Each structure stands twice: as C-alpha cells, then as structure tokens.
Amino acid sequence: MTSEGEDAVPEHLELLEGVRVVDFTQALSGPYCTLMLADVGADVIKIENRVRGDDSRHWGPPFLGSDAAYFMSVNRNKRSVALDLKDPDDVALAHEVVASADVVVENWRPGTAERLGFGAEQLRAAHPGLIVCSISGFGQGQGTRSGYDQIVQGTSGVMPMTGPAGEPTKWGVPIADIAAGMFAAAAISSALVERARTGRGRVIDIAMQDSLISMLTHHAARHLATGVVPPSDHNGHATICPYGMFPTADGFVNLCVGNDSQFQRMCAALGRDDLAQDERFATNPLRVANRAVLLGTLTETLAGLATSDAIAALEQVGVPAGAVADIGEALADESTLARDMVMSFDRDDVSGVRVVNTPWKFDGRAPSIRRAPPHLGEHNVDVLSEIRTGQ
C-alpha cells in the first residue's frame, strides 16, 4: 500500500511505456532486440507472415502448445499481426501500423525492405521522426550474403579462437544473433533519447559481423599492435597466468589469478608455498613465460581436490574461483532464482512455460511478463482497431 501522495508502483516495468515498435523480424537477432524493448514496456507489434509466421515458431521439438520453445523464449510481451506483404491490401494495413509507430525494426536480407516498400529511406520520407533499425549479417550495402549465426561466427574471426587449437569451434550460444540484438536495442534506446530532445528520427544499421568484430576487444588490440593472429586460448588466457579451467577429483574448477597478491594467496590456500617462492613465477609476465611448468603443477595439485573444497579454500583468501555448471545446474542455482532470471507464464494452450529473463534490474526490479508470446495473428483486430481510433 502506498501512502498518501506517493505514486503507485506499476505492476510491470514501464520505462518505454508509450513507445510503439513495429517488428518485422524473425528468428533471433531481431526478436531478441525487440524482446529487450518489450520487457521494459514498449508496445511491440510483431508483423508476421500470414501463413507460417515467424520461422522459429516451427523450430522444434520441443513444442510448447502450438509453438516451438525457441519461439516462446524471445517473443513474450509482444502482439502479433499476421499479414501478407505481397498482398496490396495487407501492405496498406502494414503502412497504417507503421504510421502509428516510433520505431521500426527489420532483419530481412539487405534490399528486401526496399523491394517491399519498407526501406529505411522510404519510411523516413513519409515519417521523418521515425527510428528505423535494420539488422543483417554484414550490413547494408555489403551485398546480400545470408547472415546466419553459424556463418558470422566463422567470418568474424571468433571460431578459430574458440575450442582447442586447430579446431575452429562455434560458441555454444548463438552469440552473433544475440550480440546484434543487444547492440540494436542499445542503439534504438539512444535514438529515442535524442528524438525526445530534437524530434529527429534515425536510420540504424546493425551488422552481426560488426557486432562480433566489436566484441574482439583486447584480442583485436593484440593483433593490431603486433600483426600476429592470436592463437586459441581454449580454456586459458594468453596474457594472464594462471587463468583457466582445471580438472578436479570430481569435476572442474575455473581459476582466475589477476595479480601477484592473488597468486601468493592461491599458493597458500592450495598448500603450495613452494610455487610462491619460485622466482620463475614471481610476476605475471614471468608466469606467462613459464606457463607450461606452472599449469602442469597446478593441474596435478587441483586434481587431488574435490571441486567444493578447492573453491572454498580459494574463496576464503579472496582468489576468484568457480565451478563449471551445466545449463540445468545454472538455471537451478539459488542466485539465478533469487534474481528472477527464470520466469514462467501460462497461455491458453499450455501452462507453466518457463523461460529466462533479460538481465536488467531497475530499482531492484526485474522485467516481468505482461503478455504470453502471441499466437499468430492474435492481435490483428485489436491493433488495427486501436490505430483507426487513434489509440
């Protein structure tokens, strides 16, 4: 209960309340972007193919009700309008929806939006204040190469740096899609702040390739400074030692020793004062130079300890260490649940669906579910009625 004069706390986060986003995207990069906006209050209207809808509705099993779990994971808090963008009447309806919007997001192959009449410059000519965000594999004006996550992980330099040396390996999560979606949401939010001040719209061009190139950070800096292509660090680190994953008696432990003081404390905690006194390991550059000997010795030491014992000993002296959990263990972890990172919803065709949350906390509050992921075309009547009555 609020006291007199206090504003009632809204049931859901409403940071973007009043912002309407028309979402022409499907699969993951675009829907992840619009999910982030929807979770903080934007009215996201998902325009889908009248027959099949978003391709990810069919990317199963598993299916939850009529839709794949994949689709359910990134399309909550949105409304669905199903149209045929090859039908002139439906195209006109889509333009009506766009005319009511603040933001349009699309992730068609470059050139498709223009061909359909929804290109950024075409829309901005009619609606100067509109923010139009295009997400693609390699950027606008760079040809029409397909931008699937697997392709971009390969072309961005990421895969040779992941996994064992000589075995290019993709990340276990579709990082190119997710990174592009996150960068797009951040760019849109920035453009909305500017538009509130100036009334000006923006054309935003997000490439999955650019997103992963940007995330190369210090790896790229090493190459740009030396001309040397960094080899795969696998589960270690090229410039910090010891830093990486080590087998234990019953699993694995990740160990990150970032400075000389931590190294001294790690040696004491593991009963290896001899390593602390060894001149070959006195500083990080020396430990990097002598990594083979040091890592071999630490591997032998940690292999004789249970994971929980190793972590407890290291944490007690302030040395960063942690277990290697699988997805099930991570999602069931007390801190994961305490921070509202797993949420659930019911839909008319399925109950108790669980999905992961976006990671924001605003004044201690996590995003919540206002709407279950929509059925295909579920909101055609409602959305068009609102637009035509000026809502």
Side-chain angles (χ1 to χ4, degrees):
M1 179 180 296
T2 58
S3 61
E4 186 175 351
E6 289 184 353
D7 292 333
V9 176
E11 182 181 359
H12 305 285
L13 290 174
E14 297 178 349
L15 284 77
L16 292 181
E17 183 183 15
V19 173
R20 175 166 287 169
V21 179
V22 173
D23 177 5
F24 286 106
T25 72
Q26 62 176 326
L28 188 54
S29 61
Y32 197 85
C33 164
T34 57
L35 171 71
M36 299 188 83
L37 303 176
D39 272 359
V40 291
D43 177 20
V44 175
I45 300 173
K46 186 176 178 69
I47 306 292
E48 300 187 68
N49 179 281
R50 185 182 288 279
V51 178
R52 283 185 54 82
D54 186 325
D55 281 345
S56 71
R57 288 184 183 272
H58 312 281
W59 287 354
F63 287 90
L64 299 168
S66 60
D67 292 310
Y70 192 121
F71 174 85
M72 293 290 214
S73 72
V74 290
N75 284 290
R76 62 181 174 269
N77 294 331
K78 304 177 186 180
R79 299 194 284 175
S80 172
V81 172
L83 300 171
D84 178 359
L85 295 184
K86 296 181 180 179
D87 179 288
D89 292 335
D90 278 8
V91 168
L93 292 176
H95 278 291
E96 282 191 60
V97 180
V98 168
S100 74
D102 303 285
V103 179
V104 170
V105 186
E106 60 90 5
N107 67 345
W108 288 307
R109 186 176 294 193
T112 301
E114 288 74 14
R115 178 169 53 78
L116 294 173
F118 294 94
E121 296 304 332
Q122 295 165 312
L123 295 180
R124 286 285 306 286
H127 313 288
L130 191 63
I131 296 165
V132 182
C133 180
S134 297
I135 304 172
S136 62
F138 299 93
Q140 305 303 305
Q142 297 299 308
T144 58
R145 285 186 291 174
S146 296
Y148 283 86
D149 181 87
Q150 179 88 25
I151 304 300
V152 176
Q153 286 205 37
T155 58
S156 64
V158 166
M159 287 178 69
M161 297 170 56
T162 308
E167 297 182 23
T169 305
K170 75 179 182 70
W171 285 28
V173 296
I175 191 64
D177 278 315
I178 293 170
M182 291 192 297
F183 284 128
I188 290 167
S189 299
S190 299
L192 284 167
V193 171
E194 181 194 44
R195 198 186 74 157
R197 186 177 69 251
T198 67
R200 177 184 178 184
R202 286 281 185 177
V203 174
I204 300 169
D205 175 2
I206 300 289
M208 294 162 64
Q209 173 91 347
D210 293 351
S211 299
L212 289 194
I213 293 290
S214 178
M215 293 176 69
L216 293 176
T217 57
H218 66 278
H219 297 286
R222 285 163 55 198
H223 172 69
L224 294 171
T226 66
V228 176
V229 175
S232 171
D233 293 337
H234 194 24
N235 285 318
H237 197 293
T239 60
I240 306 173
C241 185
Y243 189 113
M245 188 180 77
F246 297 84
T248 62
D250 58 355
F252 297 91
V253 62
N254 278 319
L255 175 64
C256 302
V257 177
N259 57 51
D260 297 338
S261 174
Q262 287 182 352
F263 180 71
Q264 297 289 323
R265 285 179 272 137
M266 178 206 73
C267 293
L270 297 179
R272 296 304 305 258
D273 289 327
D274 57 314
L275 299 179
Q277 297 164 9
D278 193 319
E279 293 184 356
R280 293 174 298 175
F281 311 137
T283 66
N284 182 69
L286 287 171
R287 293 193 291 274
V288 170
N290 295 288
R291 72 167 57 244
V293 175
L294 177 57
L295 295 183
T297 302
L298 282 177
T299 296
E300 292 178 5
T301 299
L302 288 164
L305 298 173
T307 301
S308 59
D309 292 339
I311 292 172
L314 293 164
E315 286 186 340
Q316 188 172 7
V317 295
V319 175
V324 178
D326 62 29
I327 287 178
E329 292 166 335
L331 293 178
D333 186 82
E334 290 182 4
S335 63
T336 300
L337 300 177
R339 291 182 59 79
D340 296 322
M341 285 307 300
V342 177
M343 58 205 323
S344 64
F345 62 85
D346 299 330
R347 203 171 72 169
D348 60 5
D349 59 342
V350 64
S351 299
V353 175
R354 296 193 300 163
V355 293
V356 295
N357 207 346
T358 42
W360 297 316
K361 307 294 183 289
F362 293 94
D363 296 328
R365 295 181 61 196
S368 56
I369 297 179
R370 304 190 311 278
R371 297 187 181 92
H375 291 292
L376 177 61
E378 179 179 347
H379 299 99
N380 275 51
V381 174
D382 290 346
V383 168
L384 294 173
S385 176
E386 287 175 16
I387 291 169
R388 287 168 178 173
T389 57
Q391 296 182 33

Coordinates of all heavy atoms in Angstrom, one line a residue, residues 308-381:
S308 N 34.4 -28.6 -4.6 CA 33.9 -27.8 -3.5 C 35.0 -27.4 -2.5 O 35.0 -26.2 -2.0 CB 32.7 -28.5 -2.8 OG 33.2 -29.7 -2.2
D309 N 35.9 -28.3 -2.2 CA 37.0 -28.0 -1.3 C 37.9 -27.0 -1.9 O 38.4 -26.0 -1.2 CB 37.7 -29.3 -0.9 CG 36.9 -30.2 -0.1 OD1 35.9 -29.7 0.5 OD2 37.2 -31.4 -0.1
A310 N 38.3 -27.1 -3.2 CA 39.2 -26.2 -3.9 C 38.6 -24.8 -3.9 O 39.2 -23.8 -3.6 CB 39.5 -26.7 -5.3
I311 N 37.3 -24.7 -4.2 CA 36.6 -23.4 -4.3 C 36.5 -22.8 -2.9 O 36.8 -21.6 -2.8 CB 35.2 -23.5 -4.9 CG1 35.3 -23.9 -6.4 CG2 34.4 -22.2 -4.8 CD1 34.0 -24.3 -7.0
A312 N 36.2 -23.5 -1.9 CA 36.1 -23.0 -0.6 C 37.4 -22.4 -0.1 O 37.5 -21.3 0.5 CB 35.6 -24.1 0.4
A313 N 38.5 -23.2 -0.4 CA 39.8 -22.7 0.1 C 40.2 -21.4 -0.6 O 40.8 -20.5 0.0 CB 40.9 -23.8 -0.2
L314 N 40.0 -21.4 -1.9 CA 40.4 -20.2 -2.7 C 39.5 -19.0 -2.4 O 40.0 -17.9 -2.2 CB 40.3 -20.5 -4.2 CG 41.3 -21.6 -4.7 CD1 41.0 -22.1 -6.0 CD2 42.7 -20.9 -4.7
E315 N 38.2 -19.2 -2.2 CA 37.3 -18.1 -1.9 C 37.6 -17.5 -0.5 O 37.5 -16.3 -0.3 CB 35.9 -18.5 -2.0 CG 35.3 -18.7 -3.4 CD 33.9 -19.0 -3.4 OE1 33.3 -19.4 -2.4 OE2 33.3 -18.8 -4.5
Q316 N 38.1 -18.3 0.4 CA 38.4 -17.9 1.7 C 39.5 -16.9 1.8 O 39.5 -16.0 2.6 CB 38.7 -19.1 2.6 CG 38.9 -18.7 4.1 CD 39.0 -19.9 5.0 OE1 39.2 -21.1 4.5 NE2 39.0 -19.8 6.3
V317 N 40.4 -16.9 0.8 CA 41.5 -16.0 0.7 C 41.3 -14.9 -0.4 O 42.3 -14.2 -0.8 CB 42.9 -16.7 0.6 CG1 43.1 -17.5 1.8 CG2 42.9 -17.6 -0.7
G318 N 40.1 -14.9 -1.0 CA 39.8 -13.9 -2.0 C 40.4 -14.1 -3.3 O 40.6 -13.2 -4.1
V319 N 40.6 -15.4 -3.7 CA 41.0 -15.7 -5.0 C 39.8 -16.2 -5.9 O 39.1 -17.1 -5.5 CB 42.1 -16.8 -5.0 CG1 42.5 -17.3 -6.4 CG2 43.3 -16.4 -4.2
P320 N 39.5 -15.5 -7.0 CA 38.4 -15.9 -7.8 C 38.4 -17.3 -8.3 O 39.4 -17.7 -8.9 CB 38.4 -14.9 -9.0 CG 39.2 -13.8 -8.5 CD 40.3 -14.4 -7.6
A321 N 37.4 -18.1 -8.0 CA 37.3 -19.5 -8.4 C 35.8 -19.9 -8.5 O 35.0 -19.3 -7.8 CB 38.0 -20.4 -7.4
G322 N 35.5 -20.8 -9.4 CA 34.1 -21.2 -9.5 C 34.0 -22.5 -10.2 O 34.9 -23.0 -10.9
A323 N 32.8 -23.2 -9.9 CA 32.6 -24.5 -10.6 C 32.2 -24.3 -12.0 O 31.9 -23.2 -12.5 CB 31.4 -25.2 -9.8
V324 N 32.2 -25.4 -12.8 CA 31.7 -25.4 -14.2 C 30.4 -26.1 -14.2 O 30.3 -27.4 -14.1 CB 32.8 -26.1 -15.1 CG1 32.3 -26.2 -16.5 CG2 34.1 -25.4 -15.0
A325 N 29.3 -25.3 -14.3 CA 28.0 -25.9 -14.2 C 27.4 -26.2 -15.6 O 27.8 -25.5 -16.6 CB 27.1 -24.9 -13.5
D326 N 26.5 -27.1 -15.7 CA 25.8 -27.3 -17.0 C 24.6 -26.4 -16.9 O 24.3 -25.7 -15.9 CB 25.4 -28.7 -17.2 CG 24.5 -29.3 -16.2 OD1 23.7 -28.6 -15.6 OD2 24.6 -30.6 -16.0
I327 N 23.8 -26.3 -18.0 CA 22.7 -25.4 -18.1 C 21.7 -25.7 -17.0 O 21.1 -24.8 -16.3 CB 22.0 -25.5 -19.5 CG1 22.9 -24.8 -20.5 CG2 20.6 -24.8 -19.4 CD1 22.3 -24.8 -21.9
G328 N 21.4 -27.0 -16.7 CA 20.4 -27.3 -15.7 C 20.8 -26.8 -14.3 O 20.0 -26.3 -13.6
E329 N 22.1 -27.0 -14.0 CA 22.6 -26.6 -12.7 C 22.6 -25.1 -12.6 O 22.3 -24.5 -11.6 CB 24.1 -27.1 -12.6 CG 24.1 -28.6 -12.4 CD 25.5 -29.2 -12.5 OE1 26.4 -28.5 -13.2 OE2 25.8 -30.2 -12.0
A330 N 23.0 -24.4 -13.7 CA 23.0 -22.9 -13.7 C 21.6 -22.3 -13.5 O 21.4 -21.4 -12.7 CB 23.6 -22.4 -15.0
L331 N 20.6 -22.9 -14.2 CA 19.2 -22.4 -14.0 C 18.6 -22.7 -12.7 O 17.7 -22.0 -12.3 CB 18.4 -23.0 -15.2 CG 18.7 -22.5 -16.6 CD1 17.8 -23.1 -17.6 CD2 18.6 -21.0 -16.7
A332 N 19.1 -23.8 -12.0 CA 18.5 -24.2 -10.7 C 19.3 -23.5 -9.6 O 18.9 -23.7 -8.4 CB 18.6 -25.7 -10.6
D333 N 20.4 -22.8 -9.9 CA 21.2 -22.2 -8.9 C 20.4 -21.2 -8.0 O 19.5 -20.4 -8.6 CB 22.4 -21.5 -9.5 CG 23.4 -21.0 -8.5 OD1 24.2 -21.8 -8.0 OD2 23.3 -19.8 -8.1
E334 N 20.7 -21.1 -6.7 CA 19.9 -20.2 -5.9 C 20.0 -18.8 -6.3 O 19.0 -18.1 -6.2 CB 20.4 -20.4 -4.4 CG 20.0 -21.7 -3.8 CD 20.5 -21.8 -2.3 OE1 21.0 -20.8 -1.8 OE2 20.4 -22.9 -1.7
S335 N 21.2 -18.3 -6.7 CA 21.3 -16.9 -7.1 C 20.5 -16.6 -8.4 O 20.0 -15.6 -8.6 CB 22.8 -16.6 -7.3 OG 23.4 -17.3 -8.3
T336 N 20.5 -17.6 -9.3 CA 19.7 -17.4 -10.6 C 18.3 -17.2 -10.2 O 17.6 -16.3 -10.8 CB 19.9 -18.7 -11.5 OG1 21.2 -18.9 -11.8 CG2 19.1 -18.5 -12.7
L337 N 17.7 -18.1 -9.3 CA 16.3 -18.0 -9.0 C 16.1 -16.7 -8.1 O 15.0 -16.0 -8.3 CB 15.9 -19.2 -8.2 CG 16.1 -20.5 -9.0 CD1 15.7 -21.7 -8.2 CD2 15.2 -20.5 -10.3
A338 N 17.0 -16.4 -7.2 CA 16.8 -15.2 -6.4 C 16.7 -13.9 -7.2 O 16.1 -12.9 -6.8 CB 17.9 -15.1 -5.3
R339 N 17.4 -13.9 -8.3 CA 17.5 -12.7 -9.1 C 16.5 -12.7 -10.3 O 16.6 -12.0 -11.2 CB 18.9 -12.5 -9.7 CG 19.9 -12.1 -8.6 CD 21.3 -11.9 -9.1 NE 21.4 -10.8 -10.1 CZ 21.3 -9.5 -9.8 NH1 21.2 -9.1 -8.5 NH2 21.4 -8.6 -10.7
D340 N 15.5 -13.6 -10.2 CA 14.3 -13.6 -11.1 C 14.8 -13.8 -12.5 O 14.2 -13.3 -13.5 CB 13.5 -12.3 -11.0 CG 12.9 -12.1 -9.7 OD1 12.4 -13.1 -9.1 OD2 12.8 -11.0 -9.2
M341 N 15.8 -14.7 -12.7 CA 16.3 -14.9 -14.1 C 15.5 -16.1 -14.7 O 15.7 -16.3 -15.9 CB 17.8 -15.2 -14.0 CG 18.6 -14.0 -13.8 SD 18.3 -12.7 -15.0 CE 18.6 -13.5 -16.6
V342 N 14.7 -16.8 -14.0 CA 13.8 -17.7 -14.6 C 12.3 -17.3 -14.3 O 12.0 -17.0 -13.2 CB 14.0 -19.2 -14.1 CG1 13.0 -20.1 -14.7 CG2 15.4 -19.6 -14.4
M343 N 11.5 -17.1 -15.4 CA 10.2 -16.7 -15.2 C 9.2 -17.7 -15.9 O 9.7 -18.5 -16.7 CB 10.0 -15.3 -15.8 CG 10.4 -15.2 -17.3 SD 10.9 -13.6 -17.9 CE 9.9 -12.4 -17.1
S344 N 8.0 -17.6 -15.5 CA 7.0 -18.6 -16.1 C 5.7 -17.9 -16.5 O 5.4 -16.8 -16.0 CB 6.7 -19.7 -15.1 OG 6.1 -19.2 -14.0
F345 N 5.0 -18.5 -17.4 CA 3.7 -18.0 -17.9 C 2.8 -19.1 -18.3 O 3.3 -20.2 -18.6 CB 3.9 -17.0 -19.0 CG 4.5 -17.5 -20.3 CD1 3.8 -18.2 -21.2 CD2 5.9 -17.4 -20.5 CE1 4.3 -18.7 -22.4 CE2 6.5 -18.0 -21.6 CZ 5.7 -18.6 -22.6
D346 N 1.5 -18.8 -18.4 CA 0.5 -19.7 -19.0 C 0.0 -19.1 -20.3 O -0.1 -17.8 -20.4 CB -0.6 -19.9 -18.0 CG -0.2 -20.5 -16.7 OD1 0.8 -21.3 -16.7 OD2 -0.8 -20.2 -15.7
R347 N -0.4 -19.9 -21.2 CA -1.1 -19.5 -22.4 C -2.3 -20.4 -22.5 O -2.3 -21.4 -21.9 CB -0.1 -19.5 -23.6 CG -0.6 -18.6 -24.8 CD 0.5 -18.5 -25.9 NE 0.6 -19.7 -26.7 CZ 1.3 -19.8 -27.8 NH1 1.9 -18.8 -28.3 NH2 1.3 -21.0 -28.4
D348 N -3.2 -20.0 -23.4 CA -4.4 -20.8 -23.4 C -4.2 -22.2 -23.9 O -5.1 -23.1 -23.6 CB -5.5 -20.1 -24.3 CG -5.0 -19.9 -25.7 OD1 -3.9 -20.4 -26.1 OD2 -5.8 -19.3 -26.5
D349 N -3.1 -22.5 -24.5 CA -2.8 -23.9 -25.0 C -1.7 -24.6 -24.2 O -1.3 -25.7 -24.5 CB -2.5 -23.9 -26.5 CG -1.3 -23.0 -26.8 OD1 -0.9 -22.2 -26.0 OD2 -0.7 -23.2 -27.9
V350 N -1.1 -23.9 -23.2 CA 0.0 -24.6 -22.4 C 0.1 -23.8 -21.1 O -0.1 -22.6 -21.0 CB 1.3 -24.5 -23.2 CG1 1.8 -23.1 -23.5 CG2 2.4 -25.4 -22.6
S351 N 0.5 -24.5 -20.1 CA 0.7 -23.9 -18.7 C 2.1 -24.2 -18.2 O 2.7 -25.1 -18.6 CB -0.3 -24.5 -17.8 OG -1.7 -24.3 -18.2
G352 N 2.5 -23.2 -17.4 CA 3.8 -23.4 -16.7 C 5.0 -23.4 -17.6 O 6.0 -24.0 -17.3
V353 N 5.0 -22.6 -18.6 CA 6.1 -22.4 -19.5 C 7.2 -21.6 -18.8 O 6.9 -20.5 -18.3 CB 5.7 -21.7 -20.8 CG1 7.0 -21.5 -21.7 CG2 4.7 -22.6 -21.6
R354 N 8.4 -22.1 -18.8 CA 9.5 -21.4 -18.1 C 10.5 -20.9 -19.2 O 10.9 -21.6 -20.1 CB 10.2 -22.2 -17.1 CG 9.3 -22.6 -15.9 CD 10.1 -23.2 -14.8 NE 10.8 -24.4 -15.2 CZ 11.8 -25.0 -14.5 NH1 12.2 -24.4 -13.4 NH2 12.4 -26.0 -14.9
V355 N 10.9 -19.6 -19.0 CA 11.9 -19.0 -19.9 C 12.9 -18.2 -19.1 O 12.6 -17.9 -17.9 CB 11.2 -18.1 -21.0 CG1 10.4 -18.9 -21.9 CG2 10.4 -17.0 -20.3
V356 N 14.0 -17.8 -19.7 CA 14.9 -17.0 -19.0 C 14.6 -15.5 -19.2 O 14.0 -15.1 -20.2 CB 16.4 -17.2 -19.4 CG1 16.8 -18.6 -19.0 CG2 16.6 -17.0 -20.9
N357 N 14.9 -14.7 -18.2 CA 14.6 -13.3 -18.2 C 15.7 -12.5 -18.9 O 16.8 -13.0 -19.1 CB 14.4 -12.8 -16.8 CG 13.5 -11.6 -16.7 OD1 13.2 -10.9 -17.7 ND2 13.1 -11.3 -15.5
T358 N 15.4 -11.2 -19.3 CA 16.5 -10.3 -19.6 C 17.2 -9.9 -18.3 O 16.6 -9.9 -17.2 CB 16.0 -9.1 -20.3 OG1 14.8 -8.7 -19.7 CG2 15.7 -9.4 -21.8
P359 N 18.5 -9.5 -18.3 CA 19.2 -9.4 -17.0 C 19.1 -8.1 -16.3 O 19.7 -8.0 -15.2 CB 20.7 -9.6 -17.5 CG 20.7 -9.0 -18.9 CD 19.3 -9.3 -19.5
W360 N 18.3 -7.1 -16.8 CA 18.3 -5.8 -16.1 C 17.6 -5.9 -14.7 O 16.6 -6.7 -14.5 CB 17.5 -4.8 -16.9 CG 18.1 -4.5 -18.3 CD1 19.4 -4.3 -18.5 CD2 17.4 -4.4 -19.5 NE1 19.6 -4.0 -19.8 CE2 18.4 -4.1 -20.5 CE3 16.1 -4.6 -19.9 CZ2 18.1 -3.9 -21.8 CZ3 15.8 -4.4 -21.2 CH2 16.8 -4.1 -22.2
K361 N 18.0 -5.0 -13.8 CA 17.3 -4.8 -12.6 C 17.2 -3.3 -12.5 O 18.2 -2.6 -12.5 CB 18.0 -5.4 -11.4 CG 18.4 -6.8 -11.5 CD 17.2 -7.7 -11.5 CE 17.6 -9.2 -11.5 NZ 18.1 -9.6 -12.8
F362 N 16.0 -2.8 -12.4 CA 15.7 -1.3 -12.2 C 15.2 -1.1 -10.8 O 14.1 -1.6 -10.5 CB 14.8 -0.8 -13.2 CG 15.3 -0.8 -14.6 CD1 15.1 -1.9 -15.5 CD2 16.1 0.2 -15.1 CE1 15.6 -1.9 -16.8 CE2 16.6 0.2 -16.4 CZ 16.3 -0.9 -17.2
D363 N 15.9 -0.4 -9.9 CA 15.5 -0.2 -8.5 C 15.2 -1.6 -7.9 O 14.2 -1.7 -7.1 CB 14.3 0.7 -8.4 CG 14.6 2.1 -8.9 OD1 15.8 2.5 -8.7 OD2 13.7 2.8 -9.4
G364 N 16.0 -2.6 -8.2 CA 15.8 -3.9 -7.7 C 14.7 -4.8 -8.3 O 14.5 -5.9 -7.9
R365 N 14.1 -4.2 -9.4 CA 13.0 -5.0 -10.0 C 13.5 -5.5 -11.4 O 14.1 -4.8 -12.2 CB 11.8 -4.1 -10.3 CG 11.1 -3.6 -9.0 CD 9.9 -2.8 -9.3 NE 8.9 -3.5 -10.1 CZ 8.0 -3.0 -10.7 NH1 7.9 -1.6 -10.8 NH2 7.1 -3.7 -11.4
A366 N 13.2 -6.8 -11.6 CA 13.4 -7.4 -12.9 C 12.2 -7.3 -13.8 O 11.1 -7.0 -13.4 CB 13.7 -8.9 -12.7
P367 N 12.4 -7.4 -15.1 CA 11.3 -7.4 -16.0 C 10.3 -8.5 -15.7 O 10.7 -9.6 -15.1 CB 11.9 -7.6 -17.4 CG 13.3 -7.1 -17.3 CD 13.7 -7.4 -15.9
S368 N 9.1 -8.4 -16.1 CA 8.0 -9.4 -15.9 C 7.3 -9.6 -17.1 O 7.5 -8.9 -18.2 CB 7.1 -8.9 -14.7 OG 6.5 -7.7 -15.0
I369 N 6.4 -10.6 -17.1 CA 5.6 -10.9 -18.3 C 4.2 -10.3 -18.3 O 3.4 -10.6 -17.4 CB 5.5 -12.5 -18.4 CG1 6.9 -13.1 -18.6 CG2 4.6 -12.9 -19.6 CD1 6.9 -14.6 -18.7
R370 N 4.0 -9.3 -19.2 CA 2.7 -8.7 -19.3 C 1.8 -9.5 -20.2 O 0.6 -9.6 -20.0 CB 2.9 -7.3 -19.9 CG 3.8 -6.4 -19.2 CD 3.7 -4.9 -19.7 NE 3.8 -4.8 -21.1 CZ 5.0 -4.8 -21.8 NH1 6.1 -4.9 -21.1 NH2 5.0 -4.6 -23.1
R371 N 2.4 -10.1 -21.3 CA 1.7 -10.9 -22.2 C 2.5 -12.2 -22.5 O 3.7 -12.1 -22.7 CB 1.5 -10.2 -23.6 CG 0.6 -8.9 -23.5 CD 0.4 -8.4 -24.9 NE -0.4 -7.2 -24.9 CZ 0.1 -6.0 -24.9 NH1 1.4 -5.8 -24.9 NH2 -0.7 -4.9 -24.9
A372 N 1.8 -13.3 -22.6 CA 2.5 -14.5 -23.1 C 2.8 -14.3 -24.6 O 2.2 -13.5 -25.3 CB 1.5 -15.7 -23.0
P373 N 3.8 -15.1 -25.1 CA 4.1 -15.0 -26.5 C 2.8 -15.2 -27.4 O 2.0 -16.1 -27.1 CB 5.1 -16.1 -26.8 CG 5.8 -16.3 -25.5 CD 4.7 -16.0 -24.4
P374 N 2.6 -14.3 -28.4 CA 1.3 -14.4 -29.0 C 1.1 -15.5 -30.0 O 2.1 -16.0 -30.6 CB 1.3 -13.0 -29.8 CG 2.7 -12.8 -30.1 CD 3.5 -13.3 -28.9
H375 N -0.1 -16.0 -30.2 CA -0.5 -16.8 -31.3 C -0.3 -16.0 -32.6 O -0.4 -14.8 -32.6 CB -1.9 -17.3 -31.2 CG -2.1 -18.3 -30.1 ND1 -1.6 -19.6 -30.0 CD2 -2.9 -18.2 -28.9 CE1 -2.0 -20.2 -28.9 NE2 -2.7 -19.4 -28.2
L376 N -0.1 -16.7 -33.7 CA 0.0 -16.0 -35.0 C -1.3 -15.2 -35.3 O -2.4 -15.8 -35.3 CB 0.3 -17.0 -36.1 CG 0.3 -16.5 -37.5 CD1 1.5 -15.4 -37.6 CD2 0.5 -17.6 -38.5
G377 N -1.2 -13.9 -35.5 CA -2.3 -13.1 -35.8 C -3.3 -12.8 -34.7 O -4.4 -12.3 -34.9
E378 N -2.9 -13.1 -33.5 CA -3.8 -13.0 -32.3 C -4.3 -11.6 -32.2 O -5.4 -11.4 -31.7 CB -3.0 -13.4 -31.1 CG -3.9 -13.3 -29.8 CD -3.1 -13.8 -28.6 OE1 -2.0 -14.4 -28.7 OE2 -3.6 -13.5 -27.4
H379 N -3.6 -10.6 -32.6 CA -3.9 -9.2 -32.3 C -4.3 -8.4 -33.5 O -4.3 -7.1 -33.5 CB -2.8 -8.5 -31.5 CG -2.5 -9.2 -30.2 ND1 -1.4 -10.1 -30.1 CD2 -3.1 -9.2 -29.0 CE1 -1.4 -10.5 -28.8 NE2 -2.4 -10.0 -28.2
N380 N -4.6 -9.0 -34.6 CA -4.9 -8.3 -35.8 C -6.1 -7.3 -35.6 O -6.0 -6.1 -35.9 CB -5.4 -9.2 -36.9 CG -4.2 -9.8 -37.8 OD1 -3.2 -10.3 -37.2 ND2 -4.3 -9.7 -39.1
V381 N -7.2 -7.8 -35.0 CA -8.3 -6.9 -34.8 C -8.0 -5.8 -33.8 O -8.3 -4.6 -34.0 CB -9.5 -7.8 -34.3 CG1 -10.7 -6.9 -34.0 CG2 -9.9 -8.7 -35.4

